[in-house]
Amino acid sequence: MPEEAVTTLHAELARFGRVEEGFALLEVFLEVARERLGAVVLDPVGLRMPAELTADRAVVQQLIDEIEREPVRKGRVVERGYDMEDEQARWDFVRLAYSSQQATVWSRRERTTYFEVIGRERATYWLPDSLKADYFDAVRGRGWAIPEDWLGAAAKRPKPWWKRGGWSG
């Protein structure tokens, strides 16, 4: 069975009129995709609040401060996982994802990434057609507008594994 086509959607906070719009869209995504989600993690080292943040500044700073007060483990720093069945954990992840050097939402079945923030600056969704349709329906159901460039983004079929590169065997 061929893999489902995937759409790439850019979600940097600077592209939204208000940062909270980016947070709200991520929150809706996590609700819609919950049954499909694998690991939802972020790098807790060096969390820094996005400069664009307005309304949630105190709340996000409190979350960052709580993590920074935790005892530091010796050795390699492990990523912090979040349970998407827990409403508070979802809420915390949404508010911290853009403060992290790396935050990732993995798929359980497709063995791929659905959402990722890199270096607090770049943020991207990679959505299979069926999940994109459910996500867009949920956003519209709340009476919100979907970013115009997201509506025009074309889905692409993933390359077969033997054409994807990375293996030089």
Side-chain angles (χ1 to χ4, degrees), residues 15-156:
R15 68 174 318 285
F16 299 111
R18 294 180 52 227
V19 168
E20 291 76 9
E21 182 181 350
F23 286 1
L25 290 168
L26 178 55
E27 200 163 342
V28 171
F29 171 74
L30 293 172
E31 289 172 17
V32 169
R34 191 171 10 184
E35 296 298 316
R36 297 179 175 213
L37 298 181
V40 176
V41 297
L42 61 77
D43 180 350
V45 176
L47 294 169
R48 197 170 67 234
M49 188 175 350
E52 304 91 351
L53 189 59
T54 56
D56 287 343
R57 287 190 80 76
V59 173
V60 172
Q61 189 60 56
Q62 182 179 356
L63 291 171
I64 291 171
D65 291 346
E66 287 172 9
I67 290 172
E68 289 178 347
R69 280 194 295 270
E70 292 175 0
V72 178
R73 297 182 195 162
K74 289 186 177 185
R76 191 174 95 95
V77 174
V78 296
E79 53 198 15
R80 174 182 285 264
Y82 289 82
D83 176 5
M84 293 296 101
E85 295 301 317
D86 180 323
E87 187 176 338
Q88 184 65 49
R90 277 195 319 274
W91 192 90
D92 290 352
F93 178 81
V94 166
R95 270 127 198 101
L96 289 172
Y98 286 97
S99 298
S100 178
Q101 281 289 24
Q102 181 161 9
T104 309
V105 176
W106 296 92
S107 160
R108 177 179 302 147
R109 287 175 260 166
E110 288 96 8
R111 294 180 48 198
T112 190
T113 304
Y114 283 148
F115 174 79
E116 187 171 48
V117 174
I118 300 287
R120 296 180 202 95
E121 298 297 321
R122 288 192 341 236
T124 309
Y125 289 93
W126 294 276
L127 303 182
D129 280 345
S130 61
L131 180 53
K132 181 176 88 172
D134 291 345
Y135 177 44
F136 282 10
D137 287 348
V139 170
R140 285 185 190 110
R142 286 172 170 75
W144 300 345
I146 296 168
E148 198 63 38
D149 63 321
W150 286 14
L151 293 171
K156 297 179 182 174

